[in-house]
Amino acid sequence: MSADGVLHVPDNPIIPFIEGDGTGVDIWPAAKLVLDAAATKYHKTIEWKEVLAGQKAFDETGDWLPEQTIADFREYLIGIKGPLTTPIGGGFRSLNVALRQILDLYVCLRPVRWFQGVPSPVKRPEDVDMVIFRENTEDVYAGLEVQAGTPDAEKLRAFVKEAFGWDVREMSGLGLKPISEFGSKRLIRAAINYALSHDRESVTLVHKGNIQKFTEGAFMKWGYQLVKEEFDDVAVGWDDCDGKPGSKLLVKDSIADITLQQVLTRPREFDVIATMNLNGDYLSDALAAQVGGIGIAPGANINYVSGHGIFEATHGTAPKYAGLDKVNPGSVLLSGVLMFEHLGWSDAAEDIVNALEATIADKIVTYDFARLMDGATEVKCSEFASAIVDRL
Ligand code: NAP
């Protein structure tokens, strides 16, 4: 990363990877096969460097998230990971959340689009083409929560009564939901920059500001403020143009509950979406369901200022399928495609997407799609990857 914020990528970068627990042993080699083949077409070679996290790390080092792993991600900027087991009583709420917080990966990027031939529960899945920017470091995920009946909860209950006159029922768990101006603006800035550089028409700020005025409502207010402060020449807020932005990028907002309806009934009205952590969590899974489910939904966690990015499968470890060479490698593979795009390797990225679509169009699919398609040939995880490579 240079001082001007541009990522300079050699033709043979070293990229750390976490294989992942459970089905990680199946999906990672499958994804790697396709990523390597696509890179080779463009005379690029990735030197993969395994770094440890999760069960494998614990078994080999006694540590769920070794310091060396963090150091490697810091040094090499970019990395990719399979799913990780959440350690029970291991000192971490979640390894994924820990990685995001330690590296301050403030954007969770979730593009949601349909690939030709993928079975979908909706009539026109081709209308779904959205990119979610979910804030990754704040909101109820910040971990400020106390358990009902504990001395901490009683202390907090007494404090809010004394300081604010708030009556909280006895035996209540309590949590804090921090939403800051800094956190909101940097997330929305990233979403607007993405929309501008990818020729998108709008950014929708999704919030529940009608009820949570000073957290979610403030997120929306800061978003519109940012448009005026930093993007006045290229973007415009809905109220300032009556919804008619001309050649500028339109920034609008939508209440979270109606958004969940409208992404289903009127998906074409949504393009880039910027939202807080919890809304983003709900929205990305709901949307993924419309275009084929979590077996194929990619994700990335990015800090656009430092250049750090970890690209990851969005599903879990699916332990019942571990080692069976059965599950869909699409999620981690398409996360690799996002990584290639981030590296500026857009030709190789596009080739993978085309080859994946061609494979599905030929009805060569893993079990999750096969059970929803007529006349499909069900193949193993590794065979699916080979079929994609054949079509590259
Ligand atoms: P999960 O592993 O995502 O599995 C839930 C279901 O999703 C599976 O039973 C399977 O559905 C489907 N599925 C998952 N991966 C798939 C794939 N690659 N291809 C096709 N279908 C796939 O969720 P979970 O069982 O709730 O969680 C298991 C563990 O994963 C937990 O330890 C959890 O904490 C962890 N987790 C990690 C991450 C992460 O690392 N990013 C995310 C979520 C959960 P069918 O049974 O219908 O076939």
Side-chain angles (χ1 to χ4, degrees):
M1 183 96 166
S2 65
D4 56 359
V6 177
L7 210 55
H8 295 280
V9 184
D11 282 344
N12 55 346
I14 299 171
I15 299 185
F17 73 94
I18 295 170
E19 177 185 72
D21 298 325
T23 51
V25 295
D26 306 300
I27 60 174
W28 172 247
K32 180 177 170 298
L33 184 82
V34 181
L35 294 170
D36 282 338
T40 304
K41 262 185 83 176
Y42 294 93
H43 312 292
K44 317 235 186 240
T45 314
I46 301 167
E47 201 179 305
W48 298 105
K49 178 176 171 51
E50 180 162 21
V51 297
L52 298 176
Q55 191 67 52
K56 191 167 179 181
F58 187 73
D59 293 345
E60 289 185 23
T61 69
D63 200 346
W64 288 96
L65 186 56
E67 272 304 315
Q68 189 56 46
T69 298
I70 306 287
D72 284 335
F73 279 130
R74 277 197 211 286
E75 180 175 353
Y76 298 106
L77 285 180
I78 304 297
I80 187 164
K81 62 175 276 296
L84 294 176
T85 304
T86 299
I88 295 167
F92 287 102
R93 172 178 278 233
S94 146
L95 293 172
N96 299 307
V97 175
L99 268 172
R100 290 170 200 165
Q101 288 180 347
I102 292 167
L103 295 169
D104 194 24
L105 305 173
Y106 62 89
V107 169
C108 176
L109 176 69
R110 296 267 178 96
V112 186
R113 56 160 288 200
W114 182 68
F115 296 97
Q116 188 80 33
V118 171
S120 159
V122 299
K123 274 192 193 148
R124 283 193 297 275
E126 65 277 15
D127 286 353
V128 181
D129 183 6
M130 304 177 206
V131 182
I132 301 171
F133 276 71
R134 166 186 169 193
E135 206 289 326
N136 235 352
T137 62
E138 302 192 333
D139 203 346
V140 293
Y141 284 72
L144 309 175
E145 206 184 17
V146 284
Q147 191 181 351
T150 60
D152 281 349
E154 286 314 301
K155 209 182 326 177
L156 190 51
R157 204 166 69 87
F159 172 73
V160 299
K161 172 75 181 160
E162 193 192 320
F164 301 103
W166 294 349
D167 276 318
V168 176
R169 244 180 231 144
E170 266 180 51
M171 276 306 284
S172 291
L174 289 162
L176 280 183
K177 175 187 175 80
I179 304 288
S180 72
E181 178 177 359
F182 172 78
S184 301
K185 283 189 172 172
R186 70 174 176 171
L187 182 275
I188 297 166
R189 185 180 296 116
I192 294 177
N193 279 329
Y194 179 97
L196 290 168
S197 61
H198 288 75
D199 276 332
R200 295 282 183 156
E201 280 175 10
S202 68
V203 173
T204 305
L205 310 171
V206 174
H207 62 90
K208 187 72 186 161
N210 53 334
I211 303 297
Q212 303 173 61
K213 297 186 195 320
F214 305 124
T215 49
E216 305 232 347
F219 174 86
M220 170 196 64
K221 189 190 84 181
W222 287 320
Y224 283 129
Q225 211 177 67
L226 182 79
V227 174
K228 288 193 176 139
E229 287 166 355
E230 297 181 18
F231 296 99
D232 203 30
D233 50 337
V234 284
V236 62
W238 178 279
D239 282 347
D240 294 320
C241 70
D242 272 341
K244 297 186 186 70
S247 58
K248 290 183 176 180
L249 174 74
L250 176 65
V251 179
K252 52 186 180 168
D253 72 281
S254 179
I255 303 281
D257 41 24
I258 192 68
T259 305
L260 281 163
Q261 270 200 22
Q262 290 181 346
V263 290
L264 196 56
T265 55
R266 289 145 55 182
R268 294 172 82 157
E269 291 179 17
F270 296 88
D271 200 335
V272 174
I273 291 176
T275 191
M276 286 143 287
N277 215 333
L278 185 61
N279 293 337
D281 192 19
Y282 297 150
L283 205 52
S284 37
D285 271 23
L287 275 171
Q290 289 193 50
V291 293
I294 55 175
I296 199 170
N301 300 291
I302 301 175
N303 182 319
Y304 285 95
V305 178
S306 68
H308 283 108
I310 298 185
F311 298 78
E312 65 173 1
T314 54
H315 55 70
T317 57
K320 66 182 175 186
Y321 296 123
L324 300 185
D325 194 13
K326 182 176 173 79
V327 294
N328 194 335
S331 177
V332 73
L333 174 60
L334 288 170
S335 302
V337 167
L338 281 183
M339 183 176 77
F340 276 14
E341 284 168 358
H342 190 77
L343 298 175
W345 295 4
S346 39
D347 290 340
E350 209 178 307
D351 285 358
I352 296 174
V353 169
N354 290 338
L356 174 77
E357 270 184 324
T359 309
I360 296 168
D362 288 342
K363 297 197 170 193
I364 298 172
V365 289
T366 45
Y367 84 99
D368 51 325
F369 286 1
R371 67 188 170 189
L372 300 171
M373 289 164 77
D374 291 329
T377 308
E378 181 180 328
V379 292
K380 293 177 177 179
C381 174
S382 56
E383 291 168 340
F384 184 59
S386 300
I388 298 171
V389 171
D390 290 346
R391 288 161 181 77
L392 266 174

